[in-house]
């Protein structure tokens, strides 16, 4: 689900943005393909803190340390591929309309085209797969992609998130957490759910601050 951009890249704005990019990249990597044994070992080395997200990462690390790569691969297959279809369909179109390849995909493709982002050759999943959108969010946070052309807050990033992830990502992660085959992916779901909520609240606070700093009402 990787994407490529023809837009001019920009440097990351801050350490905070780099961390955001890393978290979106991690979520994308775990949802596009099952982690192999090396990736599970790396995940097992993660450390958390007392925050809700930190605790979720601690559980992910513990789960990865006890997981077998072949078992996780089978779990991934049952969840997202299946015989005919998996237990979950991680696409914006499906979550927002109940069908695949509907208006949400067309809207996403329009915004990606405006930003100069193209699907990498050889990738066949529709762009509204949650892993693909998470990859775009990582690129926006890191400054690799530029969403200012979208004309929304946070150089367009807030608007992109509000249109293409916020309306359905939380429900997807809730569904993933209770999917029949989910074991390792329950911990992935918790990380995704909490981080998505953090992003939602951060963009809302940013928008509120932007409105408050706008020009005041002229006095007569």
């Amino acid at each position: 689900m990787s994407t490529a951009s023809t837009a001019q890249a920009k440097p990351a704005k801050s350490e905070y943005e780099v961390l955001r990019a890393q978290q979106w990249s991690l979520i994308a990597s775990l949802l596009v393909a099952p982690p192999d044994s090396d990736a599970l070992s790396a995940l097992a080395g993660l450390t958390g803190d007392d925050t809700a997200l930190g605790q979720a990462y601690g559980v992910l690390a513990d789960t990865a340390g006890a997981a077998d790569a072949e078992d996780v691969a089978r779990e991934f297959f049952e969840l997202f591929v299946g015989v005919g279809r998996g237990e979950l369909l991680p696409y914006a179109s499906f979550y927002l309309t109940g069908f695949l390849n509907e208006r949400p995909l067309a809207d996403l493709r329009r915004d990606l085209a405006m930003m100069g982002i193209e699907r990498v050759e050889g990738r066949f999943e529709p762009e509204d797969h949650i892993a693909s959108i998470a990859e775009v969010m990582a690129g926006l946070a890191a400054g690799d992609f530029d969403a200012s052309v979208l004309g929304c807050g946070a150089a367009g990033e807030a608007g992109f998130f509000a249109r293409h992830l916020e309306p359905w990502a939380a429900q997807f992660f809730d569904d993933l957490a209770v999917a029949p085959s989910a074991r390792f992916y329950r911990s992935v779901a918790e990380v995704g759910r909490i981080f998505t909520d953090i992003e939602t609240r951060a963009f809302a606070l940013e928008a509120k601050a932007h409105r408050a700093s706008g020009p005041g009402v002229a006095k007569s």
Side-chain angles (χ1 to χ4, degrees):
M1 299 307 302
S2 296
T3 53
S5 177
T6 58
Q8 183 177 0
K10 295 183 178 181
K13 301 172 186 176
S14 65
E15 182 179 359
Y16 167 70
E17 301 297 342
V18 172
L19 291 173
R20 288 184 58 238
Q22 291 173 343
Q23 291 183 86
W24 278 121
S25 291
L26 176 61
I27 290 169
S29 69
L30 293 173
L31 293 175
V32 75
D36 59 19
S37 57
D38 289 340
L40 287 171
S41 295
L43 289 170
L46 294 173
T47 56
D49 54 29
D50 291 335
T51 65
L53 184 59
Q55 292 177 30
Y57 272 115
V59 172
L60 175 62
D62 291 343
T63 305
D68 175 80
E70 292 186 1
D71 290 341
V72 174
R74 283 192 292 270
E75 179 182 343
F76 184 92
F77 179 85
E78 293 296 330
L79 287 169
F80 303 118
V81 183
V83 178
R85 58 161 282 184
E87 295 170 12
L88 300 177
L89 292 172
Y91 302 97
S93 288
F94 180 78
Y95 269 84
L96 297 177
T97 73
F99 300 94
L100 296 174
N101 302 316
E102 291 292 332
R103 180 63 181 269
L105 175 58
D107 291 344
L108 175 62
R109 285 175 170 168
R110 178 203 61 216
D111 283 356
L112 294 177
M114 290 176 66
M115 291 188 289
I117 299 175
E118 301 173 352
R119 186 166 56 181
V120 169
E121 185 177 354
R123 301 283 184 174
F124 302 107
E125 292 279 10
E127 294 90 334
D128 63 340
H129 190 291
I130 194 167
S132 181
I133 303 176
E135 286 181 352
V136 175
M137 287 300 301
L140 289 170
D144 296 330
F145 303 152
D146 180 8
S148 60
V149 68
L150 302 181
C152 307
E157 185 180 0
F160 182 89
F161 176 82
R163 282 194 294 276
H164 304 303
L165 268 181
E166 185 179 350
W168 68 283
Q171 184 61 59
F172 165 76
F173 287 120
D174 285 347
D175 292 344
L176 179 57
V178 298
S181 295
R183 293 175 295 278
F184 168 79
Y185 274 91
R186 285 197 189 100
S187 60
V188 176
E190 185 67 0
V191 169
R193 182 190 66 79
I194 293 173
F195 183 61
T196 300
D197 180 64
I198 289 171
E199 290 281 88
T200 300
R201 289 186 283 114
F203 283 130
L205 288 172
E206 184 179 77
K208 183 178 180 180
H210 179 73
R211 290 193 297 271
S213 64
V217 177
K219 298 180 179 180
S220 58

